[in-house]
């Protein structure tokens, strides 16, 4: 019998509590924690990857330096000294020629989140890129302009609602996204047991759609037209007055919506009028919530989609309502800790993209490296990111990275991106770090606080945590040691100053976490961060964009590409887990039988998929789970590039969907990549 350690699984947004049984440094088991008030004993297969990542023989354990195509292990002292010297030389020639890219795993490391600014400050750079602009920026821009803070996420009150409508989201695979909702299946069972319904709108019959009461196909990237029709239907069902006295501008939005023809909008989206009428009735009849996620964000009208979803919830009377859209009050309140956010503070050098929340579009990184002139990026620091596989037109970025004078990756692996680095700086293993869900607990279905102590001591006393690496880089570049509390000390101070005045010592005494109850209703307008504490629905930038939209029918004769994810994957960073990659091949081209038959494609045949950007060859999976006219390739694959050192991933490499996406296809309101809705041609590969 080993020693039991309580821990939060920090691989995805669900923040499930787990019990890790260890004997010395050997992990005996990882099980769900039944006493965790948020996850209630739930666990998904990804939690087992904590052990895989910790003990992976391919995980780097000391700094690596590339000389030509050869890699050499070096000391931390040498790594920091050489990186500092080279960075200062580049800055001396052109102070604007450095950049950072922050990847998705940073959201799961509170130490990184509290220290990344030290690196950007030392570089003095405005060239900041991150995974946010291939993922969630439309939601944050809508939050900022509606509620006054980019991090003010309204979430569906799933545990008390009667109707939950999900568009472009798949919580059965994601466990929620910008919505921390572990144990989703059982929460849906409880919803149905009390007479409620789950409705899913998606071009694919997803894992979530398969447990829903109703699934509606929608044509890819046409969501904006469906949402326009649905908002019009919701507004028509109730006396048109502001639902709350702090909500303004709905009448202006209604006047603008009058220019749209419902029949045209619904023809463009592929959803029947009677379905929209039924949805409007359900959304206005009782406690209900409409939730949209990645599918509505990764398209050219992503921000309009996020705005329209919020307006539908508002117009239906579901804002700040029990069972509707609620706003958690977390123990560590990010609204008090983080700045509200800004738009258009900077303009990118090459294409003139406006910044969002201090970032330029990730899709613009390649052109900023390729294009000569003052400010051309010559040094790039990538922190826990893999943009070669995760950003549009990955092959273009991969080629651009070769031209950098200096590239530094803070990463556990030599992956598709870090293989281009000159230095790779690996942090300690995942079970050797403490954890707090800094960004994710504020979006949770319950207000909880959970702190995880390190499960294991550092394997090597000389190894560094991720936040120590960031501080070390900053000092190596500007010569100034960071004079700030450790992340643990900072966390204690922020918790003590939070709404529940809880100390870190109190959390440590409750290893399964403290429960402060479900999100409350009626927290607005006090919780709003807009200057006048109102929700101004008629956001000028959104109104202008909506006024310019013309209803469009999809091109005929071509198929439309969407992405997908699986319960056993999380972008590209679990690809080397032997447990999670076993089983059937999950990197397939899903295609409907009606589309496959004319091409002579049968299940398991190889197919070439071609777009304006590139092509891939991939096994076909013929299934009526796809909407006719739509095909799907999962995100985060393509692990067969030369120089990678991830043996499990290379053995099941798959192909990168971002060989087909275009770096110039963006949502203009947020800079988010338009990954969905790519027009492709498919042909069978001759046997």
């Amino acid at each position: 019998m080993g020693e039991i350690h309580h821990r939060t699984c920090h691989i995805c947004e669900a923040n499930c509590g787990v019990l890790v049984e260890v004997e010395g440094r050997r992990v005996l088991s990882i099980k769900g924690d039944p006493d965790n008030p948020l996850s209630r004993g739930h666990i998904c297969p990804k939690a087992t990857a904590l052990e895989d990542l910790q003990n992976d023989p391919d995980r780097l354990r000391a700094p690596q330096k590339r000389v030509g195509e050869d890699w050499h292990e070096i000391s931390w002292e040498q790594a920091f000294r050489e990186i500092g010297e080279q960075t200062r030389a580049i800055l001396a020639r052109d102070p604007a020629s450095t950049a950072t890219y922050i990847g998705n795993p940073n959201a799961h490391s509170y130490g990184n989140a509290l220290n990344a600014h030290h690196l950007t400050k030392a570089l003095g750079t405005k060239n900041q890129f991150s995974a946010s602009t291939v993922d969630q920026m439309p939601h944050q821009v809508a939050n900022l302009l509606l509620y006054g803070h980019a991090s003010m996420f309204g979430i569906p009150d799933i545990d008390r609602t009667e109707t939950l409508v999900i568009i472009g989201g798949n919580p059965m695979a994601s466990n929620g996204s910008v919505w921390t909702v572990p144990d989703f299946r059982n929460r849906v069972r409880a919803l149905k047991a009390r007479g409620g319904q789950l409705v899913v709108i998606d071009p694919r019959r997803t894992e979530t759609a398969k447990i829903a009461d109703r699934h509606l196909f929608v044509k890819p990237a046409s969501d904006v037209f469906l949402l326009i029709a649905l908002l019009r239907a919701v507004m028509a069902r109730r006396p048109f007055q502001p639902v709350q006295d702090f909500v303004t501008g709905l009448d202006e939005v209604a006047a603008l919506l009058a220019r749209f023809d419902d029949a045209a909008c619904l023809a463009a989206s592929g959803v029947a009028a009677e379905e929209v009428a039924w949805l409007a009735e359900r959304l206005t009849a009782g406690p209900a919530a409409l939730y949209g996620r990645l599918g509505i964000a990764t398209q050219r009208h992503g921000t309009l989609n996020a705005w329209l979803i919020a307006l539908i919830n508002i117009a239906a009377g579901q804002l700040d309502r029990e069972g509707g859209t609620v706003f958690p009050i977390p123990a560590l309140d990010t609204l008090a800790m983080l700045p509200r956010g800004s738009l258009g503070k900077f303009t990118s050098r090459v294409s003139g993209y406006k910044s969002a929340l201090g970032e330029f579009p990730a899709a613009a990184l390649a052109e900023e490296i390729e294009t000569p002139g003052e400010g051309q990026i010559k040094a790039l620091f990538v922190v826990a990111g893999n943009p070669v596989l995760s950003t549009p037109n990955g092959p273009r970025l991969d080629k651009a990275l070769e031209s950098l004078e200096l590239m530094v990756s803070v990463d556990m692996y030599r992956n598709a991106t870090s293989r281009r680095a000159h230095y790779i700086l690996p942090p300690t293993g995942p079970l050797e770090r403490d954890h707090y869900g800094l960004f994710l607990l504020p979006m949770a279905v319950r207000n909880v606080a959970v702190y995880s102590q390190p499960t294991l001591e550092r394997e090597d006393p000389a190894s560094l945590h991720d936040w120590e690496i960031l501080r070390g880089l900053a000092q190596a570049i500007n010569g100034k040691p960071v004079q700030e509390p450790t992340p643990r000390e900072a966390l204690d101070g922020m918790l003590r100053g939070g709404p529940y005045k809880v100390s870190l010592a109190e959390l440590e005494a409750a290893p399964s976490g403290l429960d402060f109850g479900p999100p409350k209703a009626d927290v607005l307008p006090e919780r709003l961060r807009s200057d006048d504490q109102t929700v101004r629905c008629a956001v000028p930038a959104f109104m202008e964009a909506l006024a310019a939209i013309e209803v469009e029918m999809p091109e005929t004769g071509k198929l439309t590409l969407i992405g997908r994810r699986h319960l056993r994957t999380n972008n590209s960073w679990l690809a080397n887990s032997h447990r999670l990659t076993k089983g059937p091949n999950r990197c397939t081209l899903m295609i409907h039988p009606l589309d496959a038959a004319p091409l002579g494609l049968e299940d398991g045949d190889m197919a070439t998929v071609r777009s304006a950007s590139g092509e891939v060859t991939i096994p076909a999976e013929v299934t009526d789970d796809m909407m006719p006219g739509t095909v799907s390739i999962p995100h985060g694959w393509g692990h067969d590039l030369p120089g990678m050192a991830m043996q499990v991933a290379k053995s099941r490499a798959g192909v990168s969907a971002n060989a087909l996406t275009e770096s110039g296809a963006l949502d203009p309101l947020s800079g988010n990549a338009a990954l969905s809705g790519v027009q492709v041609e498919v042909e069978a590969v001759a046997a």
Side-chain angles (χ1 to χ4, degrees):
M1 181 72 178
E3 185 179 1
I4 302 294
H5 292 257
H6 291 71
R7 188 167 187 88
T8 295
C9 176
H10 44 79
I11 285 178
C12 78
E13 295 186 45
N15 273 242
C16 295
V18 295
L19 301 175
V20 184
E21 184 181 4
V22 299
E23 187 175 64
R25 295 193 64 84
R26 182 174 166 230
V27 177
L28 302 179
S29 68
I30 298 177
K31 299 177 181 178
D33 180 0
D35 297 322
N36 183 285
L38 181 61
S39 58
R40 311 178 304 192
H42 171 76
I43 192 173
C44 90
K46 285 192 283 288
T48 62
L50 288 169
E51 180 188 358
D52 287 357
L53 295 174
Q54 178 67 41
N55 296 324
D56 191 342
D58 288 338
R59 179 170 68 83
L60 302 176
R61 287 159 168 82
Q64 308 286 310
K65 177 181 180 180
R66 180 169 62 85
V67 180
E69 298 302 318
D70 298 324
W71 288 90
H72 305 274
E73 186 174 303
I74 61 174
S75 68
W76 285 103
E77 180 184 12
Q78 180 183 348
F80 286 137
R81 183 182 69 252
E82 292 182 3
I83 292 169
E85 290 171 353
Q86 293 177 45
T87 304
R88 288 194 299 273
I90 291 169
L91 288 171
R93 296 198 312 269
D94 185 349
S97 62
T98 65
T100 60
Y101 180 91
I102 306 295
N104 170 270
N106 290 275
H108 306 265
S109 169
Y110 87 99
N112 251 18
L114 295 177
N115 284 274
H117 69 284
H118 294 304
L119 175 59
T120 54
K121 184 177 179 181
L123 294 171
T125 183
K126 66 179 183 181
N127 294 320
Q128 298 180 44
F129 303 85
S130 88
S132 293
T133 52
V134 288
D135 184 341
Q136 67 193 46
M137 193 60 76
H139 296 284
Q140 293 184 278
V141 171
N143 291 346
L144 174 62
L145 296 181
L146 277 173
Y147 309 128
H149 200 293
S151 296
M152 190 167 177
F153 288 95
I155 65 167
D157 191 6
I158 185 174
D159 292 334
R160 295 176 293 191
T161 196
E162 293 177 4
T163 303
L164 174 59
V165 182
I166 296 176
I167 179 169
N170 188 11
M172 282 294 292
S174 68
N175 295 305
S177 185
V178 298
W179 179 31
T180 300
V181 56
D183 199 18
F184 180 78
R185 184 189 291 273
N186 281 325
R187 287 188 150 93
V188 170
R189 284 174 176 159
L191 165 66
K192 294 182 178 184
R194 60 179 181 266
Q197 292 197 38
L198 170 65
V199 183
V200 172
I201 305 170
D202 201 283
R204 180 171 74 91
R205 189 177 294 110
T206 63
E207 293 83 354
T208 305
K210 289 178 180 179
I211 68 165
D213 299 281
R214 204 175 188 118
H215 169 235
L216 307 176
F217 281 126
V218 62
K219 294 177 182 177
S222 71
D223 305 74
V224 67
F225 304 121
L226 171 60
L227 293 170
I228 287 169
L230 181 55
L231 179 55
R232 282 167 53 89
V234 166
M235 287 177 164
R237 287 192 59 83
R238 56 185 307 115
F240 189 52
Q241 297 294 330
V243 178
Q244 292 113 326
D245 58 9
F246 56 83
V247 174
T248 68
L250 273 178
D251 52 347
E252 297 173 51
V253 176
L256 180 58
L257 290 175
R259 66 180 286 264
F260 292 97
D261 176 71
D262 286 339
C265 286
L266 296 178
S269 69
V271 179
E274 55 267 27
E275 298 286 7
V276 172
W278 181 86
L279 285 169
E281 188 277 327
R282 291 293 304 191
L283 287 169
T284 54
L290 173 63
Y291 161 78
R293 186 46 197 111
L294 192 73
I296 64 97
T298 54
Q299 48 182 277
R300 62 192 178 107
H301 298 309
T303 304
L304 285 183
N305 289 337
W307 173 58
L308 290 168
I309 288 169
L311 294 191
I312 290 167
N313 285 317
I314 292 169
Q318 306 296 347
L319 178 70
D320 194 26
R321 174 185 181 180
E322 186 174 301
T325 297
V326 290
F327 296 88
I329 300 179
L332 198 159
D333 193 356
T334 48
L335 300 190
M337 185 186 78
L338 298 174
R340 293 194 297 184
S342 64
L343 300 175
K345 187 175 181 180
F346 307 115
T347 301
S348 70
R349 180 179 65 100
V350 178
S351 291
Y353 295 124
K354 293 181 178 180
S355 63
L357 311 188
E359 299 181 19
F360 291 130
L365 178 56
E367 69 181 23
E368 292 293 334
I369 298 172
E370 296 166 343
T371 308
E374 185 177 351
Q376 179 184 7
I377 294 173
K378 294 294 186 180
L380 175 66
F381 291 76
V382 179
V383 183
N386 195 1
V388 165
L389 296 187
S390 60
T391 62
N393 202 339
R396 177 185 178 186
L397 177 61
D398 184 43
K399 184 178 180 181
L401 295 179
E402 287 188 273
S403 67
L404 290 167
E405 291 184 27
L406 174 65
M407 179 175 163
V408 178
S409 283
V410 180
D411 208 289
M412 297 166 53
Y413 289 111
R414 195 190 325 150
N415 60 27
T417 298
S418 62
R419 81 192 214 283
R420 295 297 191 194
H422 300 94
Y423 298 88
I424 305 177
L425 308 180
T428 50
L431 295 179
E432 298 169 20
R433 308 173 214 159
D434 66 344
H435 179 74
Y436 187 85
L438 182 70
F439 292 133
L440 303 174
L441 293 181
M443 297 181 283
V445 292
R446 291 191 72 85
N447 294 314
V448 302
V450 190
Y451 174 74
S452 304
Q453 296 179 335
T455 302
L456 303 174
E457 296 291 331
R458 301 191 201 210
E459 186 175 6
D460 179 354
S463 62
L464 298 178
H465 294 315
D466 45 14
W467 63 271
E468 293 174 313
I469 296 172
L470 292 172
R471 290 188 177 191
L473 284 171
Q475 181 174 351
I477 292 166
N478 63 17
K480 302 174 183 178
V482 175
Q483 303 290 345
E484 279 191 10
T486 65
R488 178 185 163 85
E489 293 166 340
L491 178 63
D492 183 44
M494 290 185 290
L495 287 168
R496 289 175 182 272
Y500 308 110
K501 311 300 181 187
V502 62
S503 70
L504 190 54
E506 291 175 90
L507 277 190
E508 289 179 302
S512 293
L514 295 176
D515 184 13
F516 303 105
K520 296 179 180 178
D522 301 319
V523 302
L524 306 183
E526 288 76 18
R527 194 149 175 77
L528 292 172
R529 293 299 185 266
S530 50
D531 291 337
D532 57 1
Q533 286 197 315
T534 64
V535 178
R536 295 188 176 184
C537 297
V539 176
F542 300 168
M543 296 286 280
E544 182 180 344
L546 189 62
I549 283 182
E550 296 297 334
V551 180
E552 299 174 354
M553 296 299 293
E555 288 185 44
T556 58
K558 285 194 175 182
L559 298 169
T560 306
L561 176 68
I562 63 171
R564 70 179 190 271
R565 68 181 296 178
H566 191 274
L567 183 63
R568 290 176 172 269
T569 65
N570 193 11
N571 302 323
S572 67
W573 58 290
L574 296 181
N576 221 51
S577 165
H578 66 91
R579 286 180 179 89
L580 297 184
T581 54
K582 65 183 179 181
N585 181 11
R586 299 181 190 96
C587 188
T588 60
L589 174 77
M590 284 188 170
I591 184 170
H592 192 276
L594 293 177
D595 296 317
L599 302 173
L601 266 181
E602 296 185 2
D603 198 61
D605 288 351
M606 298 302 293
T608 296
V609 186
R610 188 176 297 107
S611 74
S613 298
E615 66 178 52
V616 298
T617 299
I618 183 172
E621 181 178 346
V622 181
T623 171
D624 61 6
D625 285 344
M626 294 305 303
M627 185 179 190
T630 306
V631 296
S632 172
I633 297 176
H635 175 76
W637 295 75
H639 308 287
D640 56 352
L641 298 176
M644 289 182 60
M646 301 173 69
Q647 295 308 307
V648 174
K650 290 179 76 171
S651 70
R652 310 204 79 175
V655 301
S656 175
N658 281 316
L660 302 170
T661 54
E662 180 50 61
S663 50
L666 299 176
D667 167 21
L669 293 171
S670 67
N672 207 82
L675 304 177
S676 295
V678 177
Q679 300 294 299
V680 297
E681 297 176 345
V682 177
E683 63 181 37
V685 175

